Amino acid sequence: MPQAFTSITSPAAPLMQANVDTDTIMPSREMRQVSKTGLKDGLFANWRYLNAAERVPNPDFVLNQPAYKQAQILLVGDNFGCGSSREFAVWALAEYGIRVIIAPSFGSIFFANCIRNGLLPIVLAQADIDSLAAPMPSPVTVDLQTQMISLGENENKNKKFAFTIDETYRNMLLNGLDEIGLTEKNRAHITDFITADQARRPWVYKQHKQET
Amino acid sequence: MALTVLDKIWSLHELPPPPNDPVTKDNMPLILIDKIFLHERTGAIALQNLTERRLSIREPEHVFCTMDHIVDTKPGRPQISRMPGGEAFIQALRKGAQQHGLTLFDIDSPHQGIVHVISPELAIVQPGLTLICPDSHTCTQGAFGALAWGVGSSETEHALVTKTLYLKKPPAMRVWLEGTCPQAVTAKDIMLWLIAEKGAAGAQGMVVEFAGPVVSAFDMEARMTLCNMAVEFGAFSALIAPDEKTFAWLKDRAYAPKGDAKGGDWGQALAHWRTFFSDEQAEFAVDMRVDVSKLKPMVSWGTSPEHAVPIDAPVPDFAPEGVAKKANKKASKTADIKKAQKYIGVQSGQDMRQVPIDAAFIGSCTNSRLADLRRAASILKGRKIADGVEAICVPGSRAVKQAAEKEGLDKIFQAAGFAWHEAGCSMCFYVGGQGFAPGARVITSTNRNFEGRQGPAIRSHLASVETVAASAIAGYICAPDELPANIGAK
Ligand code: SF4
């Protein structure tokens, strides 16, 4: 069951590069076990470490900078999470502690994977992301109830950005909905549809396997 | 109402909203999933999760598994997997498939191979079906007029248990390819051009329908190459309306409906399949026309598939128009370009044709089918690759490998100096284990040139199989039509 999401206040780490792919977020060689956990050390391994094998941190990488070490919000560039479908990328981000990713656009499989794991992917205009990144490292509050991003404490107190997310996704995240559990309640409904479909497309339901 | 292929597939698979369902009420219907494919790299974990949660699979007879990603592909497969810890993924898939009663094409099956190669080979994908796989290149299979797309593990689990997915209908985009395709220009080049022109997010979230006379003239293999690269274009998926070539491909394959045009399941299926075309008046969210007559062989110079140029054009210092014209994005894109150039070791203004290579790779779900290998072999025949180049050919499936060997293609590859491997994904990506020498510059028929995709510090240059073969002979990046006749001649 995914963790429910309501609101979070945290520094927002800027990683402003376009087309950051899931191979970069979670390199394939870091996916070592058939497991959803044990992944956080592999997150951004190629960028985060000077030497990935020995885990020597790269001081230039944003999540290694003291101000962003505890960041739960990532500010990123266009088409974030493009590439491979590996959900390991989202599991690694979640295990590391990231709860919100703000981008001008996302890879579509990555976006869907975020929703299923209690991570909030927010689509925001580049200019707004830039202005969120500017007054760093003051904390940012993301509220899913009100669909509002606001800057805290300092002189930017009144800066707010509205965002929208599909109502379905919002509900799923707010309630930490278990999708399989939900759909299973509709089992009879699905059975009815399949029965009708079997009459429409009977060959689809047959196994025409010829052994060679 | 005029409908697109997508509309037609969609309406057959969209369930009416279930009563009191909190999800579907917001325009997110349940969609019926006809077929599911799994591979050991991402499928094993989905099956393991189901077992842990004591959930069962609704229609195990429509779920198929293959071993492709991390199986050893060295000649003779001396190991199960070269990836450290890789065997666990293979064992987990075997165990899961057995527990849940799924069809598994294991390492020793004659059908084993890359999922997007074997699904069409076995006619598991068919026009008008919905098919998912926890793998982003599932869009390849849209070449058969199916709605096939990549999902994560959670959605896979959902579909396994319920035979459905919650999905908002993606918008449709059409790419109409017309003009006379120059001989040296392939489906791969067209895709690299398109992505370079419109950006790696150019088709974001859409289902791209490839159509037009160029597509009709393409064989099924080339159509699969077009659809394969759609995910690098940011698409949700891609598809091509089925035609006589599609039907001829499917006929009599292992999982194709039985019978003939006059009757039986085949006759019924065929009549149904012929309904999947986009009506003349159908509207697309984006409709673009491309005249392919002026295109050239393409090669990538950077770390995103959008970083690609016609082979005779200089490496640019700007981002693709489709993205960069939004003015405020320009600054960050310029920084990205500098970063990519630094990683790859090229400069703005450089001619890619002068760049020496260390290795050449032919394989992957983009370009590893029989037609691809034949085209590469036609260039390699009677020649030898340049000294110092490590060249590898990995057929996409055991069936492709066998068919190629029957024609003697393996002999041509080997005589040219290529290693001839067992079927699988192999060095399309790096998991540890087998890889190129660190930092090597590789010309590759694969689909991703991401930083480190093919190994630590590896510099990948995406190109067609022809360009890969020609470059292997030349020892530097070279288009097939520019390969000097005397180079590499035996
Ligand atoms: S060949 Fe490469 S891109 Fe294709 S499925 Fe295998 S790893 Fe993925």
Side-chain angles (χ1 to χ4, degrees):
Chain A
M1 194 110 140
Q3 205 179 343
F5 188 103
T6 43
S7 149
I8 261 182
T9 301
S10 145
L15 187 64
M16 307 298 279
Q17 189 182 329
N19 301 320
V20 173
D21 56 80
T22 52
D23 280 72
T24 297
I25 301 169
M26 190 63 200
S28 201
R29 65 174 183 282
E30 301 287 346
M31 295 151 45
R32 293 184 180 133
Q33 300 160 33
V34 190
S35 170
K36 289 185 174 187
T37 56
L39 297 166
K40 68 171 190 289
D41 290 346
L43 183 71
F44 293 117
N46 291 341
W47 290 354
R48 196 166 140 205
Y49 306 112
L50 291 172
N51 177 334
E54 276 145 43
R55 302 289 195 229
V56 180
N58 171 6
D60 291 337
F61 185 64
V62 64
L63 294 176
N64 290 334
Q65 292 162 15
Y68 299 117
K69 270 224 157 92
Q70 307 298 324
Q72 291 178 287
I73 303 171
L74 277 184
L75 304 172
V76 297
D78 215 9
N79 204 20
F80 187 80
C82 61
S84 154
S85 68
R86 62 187 68 160
E87 203 160 318
F88 297 89
V90 172
W91 295 330
L93 284 161
E95 193 182 325
Y96 180 88
I98 302 295
R99 297 299 312 279
V100 183
I101 304 171
I102 307 178
S105 71
F106 290 91
S108 65
I109 306 174
F110 179 85
F111 186 95
N113 287 342
C114 284
I115 303 288
R116 270 81 191 176
N117 289 280
L119 247 90
L120 170 60
I122 298 178
V123 177
L124 207 64
Q126 181 78 55
D128 291 347
I129 299 178
D130 290 345
S131 54
L132 276 173
M136 285 300 126
S138 84
V140 170
T141 299
V142 174
D143 190 329
L144 184 56
Q145 288 287 3
T146 58
Q147 301 189 68
M148 229 13 126
I149 302 169
S150 45
L151 288 170
E153 285 141 53
N154 60 18
E155 69 280 6
N156 294 299
K157 205 181 289 178
N158 297 319
K159 237 179 184 174
K160 281 191 193 305
F161 303 91
F163 68 91
T164 52
I165 179 159
D166 194 282
E167 211 28 46
T168 309
Y169 295 147
R170 184 163 164 269
N171 279 331
M172 284 169 68
L173 287 165
L174 282 174
N175 303 315
L177 284 184
D178 166 25
E179 248 191 317
I180 296 183
L182 264 178
T183 314
E184 278 295 85
K185 292 197 187 119
N186 298 320
R187 202 170 175 92
H189 184 80
I190 295 169
T191 305
D192 290 347
F193 187 83
I194 291 176
T195 309
D197 189 43
Q198 276 168 335
R200 250 191 324 258
R201 304 183 302 155
W203 66 90
V204 173
Y205 291 86
K206 290 188 198 164
Q207 274 302 19
H208 290 96
K209 189 168 140 204
Q210 280 176 341
E211 263 323 322
T212 40
Chain B
M1 205 177 86
L3 302 171
T4 63
V5 177
L6 172 64
D7 294 331
K8 293 177 183 180
I9 299 176
W10 193 266
S11 67
L12 279 165
H13 291 85
E14 178 178 352
L15 275 74
N20 307 321
D21 184 73
V23 179
T24 48
K25 69 175 169 47
D26 305 305
N27 251 337
M28 179 106 49
L30 278 171
I31 292 295
L32 190 74
I33 305 300
D34 293 319
K35 307 279 169 182
I36 302 175
F37 236 116
L38 304 173
H39 61 63
E40 80 281 24
R41 193 66 175 138
T42 55
I45 184 127
L47 293 179
Q48 183 176 298
N49 288 337
L50 291 190
T51 307
E52 277 167 17
R53 293 180 63 183
R54 296 172 192 277
L55 292 166
S56 58
I57 295 178
R58 179 149 187 166
E59 282 185 355
E61 64 275 27
H62 297 292
V63 183
F64 303 86
C65 314
T66 188
M67 304 285 188
D68 54 4
H69 273 65
I70 54 173
V71 296
D72 187 8
T73 65
K74 282 244 166 120
R77 284 203 216 282
Q79 300 178 24
I80 292 182
S81 173
R82 282 177 191 268
M83 175 198 162
E87 222 179 295
F89 287 82
I90 289 169
Q91 299 298 2
L93 183 64
R94 277 184 188 147
K95 192 167 148 210
Q98 208 218 357
Q99 278 172 337
H100 293 277
L102 313 178
T103 303
L104 165 66
F105 306 116
D106 208 334
I107 302 177
D108 56 359
S109 160
H111 302 309
Q112 179 268 342
I114 304 172
V115 49
H116 318 306
V117 177
I118 68 168
S119 176
E121 245 167 37
L122 295 166
I124 289 170
V125 64
Q126 294 168 16
L129 295 184
T130 51
L131 182 152
I132 60 155
C133 172
D135 189 282
S136 57
H137 289 100
T138 307
C139 52
T140 313
Q141 302 184 44
F144 288 81
L147 184 60
W149 72 102
V151 294
S153 303
S154 298
E155 286 190 285
T156 302
E157 290 164 37
H158 187 275
L160 286 166
V161 175
T162 69
K163 206 177 155 62
T164 61
L165 276 183
Y166 286 107
L167 189 67
K168 241 195 162 90
K169 187 176 173 188
M173 169 176 183
R174 179 165 60 184
V175 176
W176 183 270
L177 301 176
E178 59 192 2
T180 315
C181 197
Q183 223 225 318
V185 172
T186 67
K188 179 71 161 285
D189 301 300
I190 294 173
M191 287 311 292
L192 285 172
W193 179 84
L194 201 57
I195 298 164
E197 184 76 8
K198 297 290 167 193
Q204 195 134 47
M206 292 189 269
V207 173
V208 181
E209 179 179 339
F210 293 102
V214 175
V215 179
S216 304
F218 273 159
D219 58 22
M220 291 312 296
E221 283 98 331
R223 294 180 191 184
M224 283 187 256
T225 304
L226 284 180
C227 291
N228 176 272
M229 294 291 291
V231 68
E232 313 314 329
F233 194 25
F236 174 84
S237 191
L239 52 76
I240 293 172
D243 61 8
E244 297 308 318
K245 283 184 187 167
T246 320
F247 310 142
W249 169 288
L250 294 170
K251 186 85 184 86
D252 297 327
R253 290 186 184 257
Y255 289 84
K258 296 287 161 298
D260 56 34
K262 285 188 229 67
D265 288 325
W266 176 265
Q268 228 182 335
L270 195 61
H272 175 75
W273 294 346
R274 290 193 198 281
T275 64
F276 294 106
F277 55 87
S278 286
D279 298 334
E280 211 148 300
Q281 302 298 322
E283 286 190 19
F284 292 85
V286 179
D287 202 355
M288 70 181 277
R289 276 176 181 267
V290 178
D291 179 358
V292 302
S293 314
K294 299 239 156 53
L295 299 192
K296 290 268 186 174
M298 300 283 295
V299 65
S300 76
W301 56 263
T303 55
S304 161
E306 73 178 32
H307 298 155
V309 281
I311 198 123
D312 57 355
V315 172
D317 56 2
F318 52 86
E321 179 224 346
V323 180
K325 70 180 168 200
K326 297 173 200 164
N328 56 9
K329 281 189 186 164
K330 212 163 191 166
S332 67
K333 294 291 281 192
T334 307
D336 293 352
I337 281 182
K338 290 285 161 243
K339 188 164 186 255
Q341 290 183 346
K342 187 163 168 238
Y343 178 86
I344 298 288
V346 296
Q347 284 168 348
S348 300
Q350 186 173 340
D351 189 332
M352 292 305 295
R353 288 175 297 190
Q354 293 151 11
V355 177
I357 53 157
D358 303 307
F361 182 79
I362 291 179
S364 89
C365 55
T366 317
N367 280 121
S368 67
R369 300 176 180 84
L370 190 57
D372 298 309
L373 304 191
R374 281 182 185 148
R375 293 200 317 271
S378 73
I379 290 166
L380 295 174
K381 195 164 187 180
R383 306 218 220 205
K384 258 200 127 27
I385 60 170
D387 283 347
V389 172
E390 181 190 10
I392 297 166
C393 176
V394 186
S397 69
R398 288 188 64 177
V400 167
K401 178 167 184 271
Q402 205 188 9
E405 287 171 356
K406 221 168 136 194
E407 294 180 12
L409 301 185
D410 57 325
K411 299 278 171 325
I412 297 175
F413 274 96
Q414 285 169 320
F418 266 77
W420 181 253
H421 274 220
E422 304 290 341
C425 297
S426 193
M427 285 141 88
C428 169
F429 76 123
Y430 179 76
V431 263
Q434 197 185 1
F436 299 102
R441 187 179 293 287
V442 187
I443 184 107
T444 176
S445 77
T446 54
N447 43 45
R448 288 187 174 144
N449 52 348
F450 301 158
E451 250 183 60
R453 166 80 179 181
Q454 289 185 296
I458 299 293
R459 297 166 295 175
S460 307
H461 294 280
L462 307 176
S464 70
V465 276
E466 286 89 331
T467 300
V468 175
S471 305
I473 293 167
Y476 52 82
I477 295 173
C478 180
D481 53 344
E482 292 183 355
L483 183 65
N486 57 342
I487 290 193
K490 277 188 287 202

